[in-house]
C-alpha cells in the first residue's frame, strides 16, 4: 500500500532519530525487531551506488552529528566534568528521551537538568556539581539572548510603597544558589574551548574535537550567583546570600517589602543592613536588572 | 525578470551570508556589499548580541531573511510561535522577501533540525502549497521556496523534483529561490541531468539564486558549504541566468569559513556572469 505523507515522515523520523551504533552506523534492527534494511527498502529507493539503508543512514548520521555538535557547544562545563565518553553517552540518552521540541537548536538543552534529576546514573560521582554546572550553563544561554525590557532607574522608585511595589528581574537574568564555585570552573573551561559555529543547515562532517585534559574540579563551597547580561556580554556576578534571597524573592513575584524581610530574617543582628540594601539596589539599577511589572 | 513580484520588484545584485566570524570585519571596515542574507532563526531571539549586531548591520546594509525551520512540508501544522517571531524579525529587517526550504523537518512535535526530502506526490504538493499560502498571508511578505539537496528518494514519488517544485510554486503562487549547487548535488546523487531541471522550472518565478560549494564522497555528494563554488556549478549558474536573467545571487559559506575578503571575492565571480550576460545576451 502506498504510504501517505505523514506515515512516510514518521518512518523517516523514527529512522534518523534512533541512536547510531558505536561505529556510528545506522542500527540493523528496527524498533519492532524487524530488519532496518527491510523497512528502509519499503519506502526509500536505492540507486546504483547506495542501498535504501545507506541512503537513510546518511540522514541518521547527520542528525546525530548536528545535534551532538550543538550539545557539545552548549555544555562545555558538563563535558569537562564527565569526560567525552560519558558525556556523549549521556547526551545520546537525553536526546533520545527528549528529542528537540523547538524550531531552534538554542532550546536543545532546556530539559537537561530535569533529565539528570531523573537519571542520576549519568552523574553518579558528582551529582551536585553536575547539577550546578548544568543550571549555570543553561542560565548562560538564557542570559545571552533572553529578553531584556526597559529597565527601572533608581529614581523611578521614589515615592513608591515597598509594601506593594513589585520589581521584576529581567527575563534574561537567572539567580542561582550553588553548592560549588561553578562560576570559576566554567570560566576556566570556556577559556579552553571555542564553540564550533552557528546554526545553518549545511551538512556537517563528523565534529572533530581537540581532547583537553580534565580541569581541576572545585571543592564544595556555597555561592550565590546572578547570571546576567551587560552591554551584550554575559556575566556571572557573585551575590551575598541576603542579596540572593531578595533577588530570587522578587523573581518569584514577592513585593519589595516582603523580599527585603526575607533577607532581614537571615542577617546578623549587628549588621548595618539599610546602607547595604541601598548600595545593592543602586548597583542593580545601574545594571538594569529590574523592570516594573504592570 | 530579475525584479519581479516574488522579490518585491528589487534588483539586489550579489550578496553574501552574514556569519559570526565576519562580524568584526564588517562592522569595523564597512566593506561595500550589495546585501547580506541572514539565517532568520539566528536572530529570532528576544535580545542580546545577535540583535545588537543585526541592528548595526541594518544601519549600513540591505538584509534579506533566509530561514531554515518553517518546514513547509511537515505534516504538523505551522508553528505559530515560530511564525510570530519571524514576523517580528521581518518588521525589524524590512526584508523584501522571506525564503525557506521545500522540505520537512519535524513530525509529531519533534524537530530534526535538518532539511529532509519530501516525496514528490500530488498530496505533498497540495499540502506544502497550502502551508506556503498560510505563511505568506500571516507574514505579509513574498515567500521564495528553495530546492534542497537530497540523498534519498521515495518509492511514493509521482513526478520529478523539478515538476514537484513547479507544482508547488504554481499552486501556492510563490517564488523560487533557486539553489544551483543543490540541483547539482541532487543530480549527482539521483542520476538526473541538472540542465533538465534548470530548463523546466517556471523561470519567471525565480526571485533569488544560491550558489555554494560541496564535498564529494565515494558514493555521494554532500552539500557542505565549506568550499569555493565548483566549476560544474558555475556552468549551471551561467545557464540559469541565461534563462532567468541577472538575478539577486547569494554565496553560502557556512563551514571552514575563510576571511571575509575571500568569501566576498568568490561571491563577486557571480557578478561577472551577470555582466557578461548584459553585454552579450546572445552569447549565453
Amino acid at each position: 500500500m502506498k504510504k501517505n505523507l505523514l506515515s512516510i515522515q514518521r518512518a523517516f523520523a523514527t529512522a534518523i532519530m534512533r541512536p547510531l551504533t558505536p561505529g556510528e552506523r545506522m542500527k540493523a534492527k528496527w524498533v519492532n525487531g524487524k530488519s532496518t534494511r527491510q523497512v528502509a527498502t519499503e519506502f526509500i529507493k536505492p540507486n546504483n551506488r547506495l542501498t535504501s539503508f545507506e541512503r537513510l543512514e546518511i540522514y541518521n548520521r547527520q542528525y546525530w552529528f548536528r545535534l551532538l555538535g550543538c550539545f557539545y557547544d552548549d555544555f562545555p562545563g558538563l563535558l569537562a566534568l564527565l569526560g567525552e565518553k560519558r558525556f556523549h553517552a549521556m547526551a545520546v540518552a537525553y536526546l533520545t528521551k527528549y528529542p528537540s521540541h523547538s524550531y531552534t537548536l538554542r532550546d536543545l538543552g532546556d530539559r537537561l537538568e530535569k533529565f539528570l534529576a531523573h537519571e542520576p546514573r549519568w552523574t553518579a560521582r558528582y551529582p551536585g556539581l553536575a547539577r550546578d554546572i548544568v543550571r549555570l550553563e543553561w542560565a548562560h544561554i538564557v542570559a545571552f539572548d533572553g529578553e531584556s525590557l526597559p529597565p527601572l532607574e533608581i529614581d523611578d522608585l521614589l515615592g513608591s510603597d515597598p509594601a506593594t511595589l513589585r520589581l521584576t528581574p529581567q527575563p534574561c537574568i537567572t539567580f542561582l544558589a550553588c553548592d560549588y564555585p561553578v562560576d570559576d570552573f566554567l570560566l576556566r573551561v570556556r577559556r579552553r574551548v571555542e564553540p564550533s559555529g552557528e546554526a545553518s543547515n549545511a551538512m556537517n562532517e563528523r565534529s572533530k574535537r581537540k581532547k583537553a585534559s580534565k580541569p581541576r574540579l572545585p571543592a564544595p563551597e556555597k555561592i550565590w550567583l546572578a547570571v546576567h547580561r551587560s552591554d551584550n556580554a554575559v556575566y556571572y556576578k557573585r551575590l551575598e546570600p541576603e542579596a540572593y534571597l531578595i533577588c530570587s524573592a522578587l523573581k518569584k513575584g514577592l513585593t519589595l517589602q516582603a523580599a527585603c524581610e526575607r533577607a532581614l530574617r537571615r542577617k546578623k543582628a549587628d549588621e548595618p543592613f539599610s546602607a547595604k540594601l541601598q548600595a545593592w539596589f543602586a548597583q542593580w539599577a545601574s545594571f538594569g536588572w529590574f523592570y516594573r511589572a504592570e | 525578470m530579475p525584479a519581479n513580484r516574488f522579490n518585491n520588484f528589487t534588483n539586489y545584485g550579489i550578496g553574501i551570508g552574514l556569519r559570526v566570524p565576519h562580524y568584526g570585519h564588517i562592522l569595523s571596515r564597512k566593506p561595500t556589499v550589495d546585501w547580506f542574507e541572514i539565517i532568520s532563526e539566528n536572530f529570532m531571539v528576544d535580545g542580546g548580541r545577535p540583535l545588537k549586531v543585526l541592528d548595526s548591520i541594518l544601519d549600513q546594509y540591505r538584509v534579506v531573511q533566509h530561514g531554515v525551520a518553517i518546514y513547509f512540508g511537515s505534516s504538523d501544522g505551522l508553528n505559530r510561535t515560530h511564525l510570530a517571531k519571524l514576523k517580528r524579525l521581518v518588521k525589524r529587517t524590512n526584508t523584501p522577501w522571506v525564503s525557506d526550504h521545500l522540505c520537512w523537518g519535524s513530525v509529531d512535535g519533534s524537530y530534526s533540525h535538518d532539511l529532509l526530502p519530501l516525496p514528490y506526490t500530488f498530496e505533498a504538493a497540495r499540502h506544502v502549497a497550502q502551508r506556503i499560502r498560510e505563511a505568506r498571508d500571516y507574514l505579509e511578505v513574498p515567500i521564495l521556496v528553495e530546492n534542497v539537496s537530497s540523498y534519498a528518494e521515495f518509492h511514493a514519488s509521482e513526478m520529478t523534483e523539478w515538476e514537484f517544485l513547479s507544482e508547488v510554486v504554481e499552486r501556492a503562487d510563490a517564488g523560487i529561490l533557486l539553489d544551483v549547487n543543490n540541483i547539482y548535488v541532487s543530480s549527482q546523487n539521483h542520476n538526473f541531468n541538472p540542465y533538465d531541471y534548470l530548463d523546466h522550472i517556471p523561470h519567471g518565478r525565480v526571485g533569488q539564486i544560491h550558489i555554494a560549494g560541496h564535498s564529494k564522497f565515494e558514493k555521494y555528494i554532500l552539500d557542505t558549504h565549506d568550499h569555493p563554488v565548483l566549476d560544474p556549478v558555475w556552468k549551471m549558474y551561467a545557464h540559469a541566468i541565461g534563462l532567468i536573467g541577472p538575478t539577486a545571487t547569494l554565496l553560502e559559506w557556512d563551514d571552514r569559513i575563510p576571511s571575509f575578503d575571500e568569501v566576498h571575492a568568490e561571491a563577486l565571480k557571480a557578478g561577472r556572469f551577470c555582466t557578461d550576460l548584459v553585454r552579450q545576451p546572445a552569447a549565453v
Side-chain angles (χ1 to χ4, degrees):
Chain A
M1 197 183 88
K2 200 162 124 185
K3 285 178 182 288
N4 67 13
L5 185 62
L6 178 60
S7 65
I8 286 173
Q9 292 183 351
R10 283 185 172 149
F12 204 108
T14 300
I16 69 169
M17 292 183 183
R18 295 187 73 207
L20 300 168
T21 66
E24 298 186 330
R25 312 308 307 217
M26 189 155 74
K27 285 193 165 132
K29 292 271 185 211
W30 192 246
V31 284
N32 58 5
K34 245 171 118 173
S35 151
T36 304
R37 285 185 189 280
Q38 192 186 329
V39 174
T41 305
E42 285 167 13
F43 71 111
I44 302 288
K45 269 189 200 172
N47 69 8
N48 56 349
R49 286 156 289 161
L50 295 166
T51 63
S52 304
F53 179 96
E54 289 167 330
R55 297 183 110 183
L56 203 47
E57 185 182 59
I58 294 171
Y59 288 97
N60 186 203
R61 286 159 59 88
Q62 290 302 329
Y63 171 81
W64 284 103
F65 295 166
R66 175 174 289 119
L67 266 62
L68 289 171
C70 182
F71 211 68
Y72 275 69
D73 284 348
D74 285 352
F75 295 98
L78 190 61
L79 169 62
L81 175 70
L82 300 181
E84 172 138 19
K85 198 173 165 187
R86 194 164 189 80
F87 180 87
H88 184 94
M90 180 278 300
V92 170
Y94 168 72
L95 293 168
T96 304
K97 184 163 184 177
Y98 294 116
S100 173
H101 61 123
S102 166
Y103 65 87
T104 167
L105 282 164
R106 180 257 197 207
D107 296 337
L108 204 55
D110 64 355
R111 293 172 288 181
L112 184 56
E113 186 186 351
K114 178 179 161 189
F115 171 78
L116 292 178
H118 285 106
E119 299 205 19
R121 67 195 167 101
W122 296 109
T123 55
R125 285 173 64 197
Y126 331 91
L129 179 55
R131 184 204 59 213
D132 283 354
I133 291 171
V134 168
R135 290 166 70 207
L136 179 54
E137 296 196 303
W138 179 249
H140 186 109
I141 291 168
V142 171
F144 177 73
D145 61 12
E147 189 175 19
S148 178
L149 298 157
L152 274 177
E153 305 292 332
I154 197 79
D155 290 349
D156 295 336
L157 304 179
L158 293 174
S160 300
D161 177 4
T164 57
L165 179 63
R166 290 179 204 280
L167 302 178
T168 309
Q170 298 285 0
C172 62
I173 299 181
T174 306
F175 302 106
L176 297 172
C178 302
D179 295 324
Y180 293 84
V182 284
D183 51 349
D184 290 341
F185 175 76
L186 195 54
L187 289 171
R188 278 203 307 276
V189 169
R190 280 185 169 271
R191 272 196 287 270
R192 295 168 3 147
V193 293
E194 280 180 21
S196 63
E198 61 190 294
S200 84
N201 274 71
M203 286 293 201
N204 316 108
E205 289 182 65
R206 194 190 189 304
S207 308
K208 298 173 190 75
R209 289 173 186 282
K210 285 183 203 162
K211 277 204 167 180
S213 58
K214 192 165 181 168
R216 190 165 46 80
L217 300 183
E221 176 195 341
K222 285 261 182 206
I223 63 161
W224 295 267
L225 289 175
V227 184
H228 71 115
R229 185 172 74 227
S230 180
D231 203 16
N232 294 308
V234 175
Y235 292 93
Y236 311 152
K237 180 170 175 50
R238 286 206 184 182
L239 301 173
E240 292 185 42
E242 293 83 2
Y244 166 80
L245 280 176
I246 293 171
C247 291
S248 52
L250 291 171
K251 186 110 185 173
K252 283 178 187 159
L254 270 66
T255 63
L256 181 59
Q257 182 173 311
C260 291
E261 281 170 359
R262 282 182 71 179
L264 269 169
R265 285 198 288 274
R266 193 187 188 281
K267 81 169 185 75
K268 293 176 189 126
D270 57 344
E271 212 172 356
F273 199 60
S274 63
K276 207 179 220 183
L277 206 56
Q278 214 169 14
W280 284 342
F281 274 99
Q283 189 181 52
W284 299 341
S286 75
F287 290 151
W289 278 10
F290 297 101
Y291 68 98
R292 188 195 293 263
E294 295 304 328
Chain B
M1 244 187 297
N4 57 33
R5 66 191 172 99
F6 303 107
N7 57 25
N8 234 334
F9 302 100
T10 58
N11 196 348
Y12 264 24
I14 308 298
I16 59 175
L18 182 66
R19 300 294 181 261
V20 174
H22 296 155
Y23 284 178
H25 180 96
I26 296 164
L27 295 175
S28 61
R29 306 276 186 87
K30 301 181 173 51
T32 302
V33 180
D34 289 348
W35 56 288
F36 283 108
E37 186 184 78
I38 60 167
I39 303 290
S40 299
E41 285 75 11
N42 288 348
F43 299 91
M44 285 161 52
V45 293
D46 295 320
R49 185 165 181 254
L51 294 182
K52 170 83 176 167
V53 170
L54 178 60
D55 288 343
S56 301
I57 296 288
L58 287 167
D59 284 343
Q60 306 274 341
Y61 298 99
R62 299 183 294 195
V63 164
V64 173
Q65 284 180 225
H66 177 55
V68 293
I70 293 183
Y71 299 139
F72 292 121
S74 288
S75 294
D76 296 347
L78 287 169
N79 181 329
R80 292 285 155 185
T81 306
H82 179 274
L83 280 186
K85 290 194 172 189
L86 186 57
K87 186 165 186 174
R88 199 164 68 177
L89 189 64
V90 164
K91 286 181 177 165
R92 192 179 200 114
T93 64
N94 205 22
T95 181
W97 68 90
V98 162
S99 61
D100 208 311
H101 299 82
L102 184 54
C103 72
W104 68 283
S106 64
V107 67
D108 299 323
S110 292
Y111 284 75
S112 69
H113 301 283
D114 200 350
L115 309 173
L116 302 176
L118 284 159
Y120 304 136
T121 64
F122 288 100
E123 177 207 6
R126 283 192 298 272
H127 174 77
V128 174
Q130 175 58 29
R131 288 164 54 97
I132 293 169
R133 283 181 176 275
E134 279 176 39
R136 186 181 54 221
D137 286 349
Y138 180 77
L139 296 171
E140 298 175 309
V141 66
I143 288 181
L144 306 183
V145 285
E146 177 184 350
N147 55 296
V148 297
S149 49
S150 63
Y151 315 97
E153 301 164 285
F154 297 96
H155 289 303
S157 289
E158 298 163 337
M159 59 191 103
T160 63
E161 183 184 335
W162 55 93
E163 287 168 342
F164 182 73
L165 173 63
S166 305
E167 182 77 14
V168 166
V169 294
E170 296 289 353
R171 280 178 180 274
D173 192 20
I176 296 172
L177 195 180
L178 189 68
D179 191 313
V180 177
N181 179 60
N182 286 350
I183 294 174
Y184 179 77
V185 169
S186 294
S187 74
Q188 298 301 296
N189 289 337
H190 307 317
N191 301 324
F192 65 77
N193 180 347
Y195 289 89
D196 284 346
Y197 197 128
L198 292 175
D199 290 344
H200 289 101
I201 53 167
H203 302 127
R205 290 187 179 274
V206 177
Q208 186 194 334
I209 295 178
H210 267 175
I211 47 175
H214 57 256
S215 299
K216 282 189 178 180
F217 293 84
E218 192 187 338
K219 294 182 176 176
Y220 58 93
I221 296 183
L222 271 187
D223 180 29
T224 46
H225 297 183
D226 61 351
H227 285 79
V229 180
L230 278 84
D231 280 346
V233 176
W234 280 127
K235 284 180 186 152
M236 287 173 59
Y237 177 72
H239 186 78
I241 58 167
L243 296 166
I244 299 160
T247 301
T249 298
L250 185 287
L251 171 69
E252 294 182 296
W253 203 319
D254 295 314
D255 203 3
R256 298 190 186 119
I257 301 174
S259 70
F260 175 87
D261 288 335
E262 200 174 324
V263 173
H264 197 200
E266 184 69 12
L268 290 177
K269 288 180 189 171
R272 287 177 217 144
F273 289 95
C274 297
T275 309
D276 290 350
L277 183 70
V278 172
R279 282 184 190 149
Q280 300 170 303
V284 178

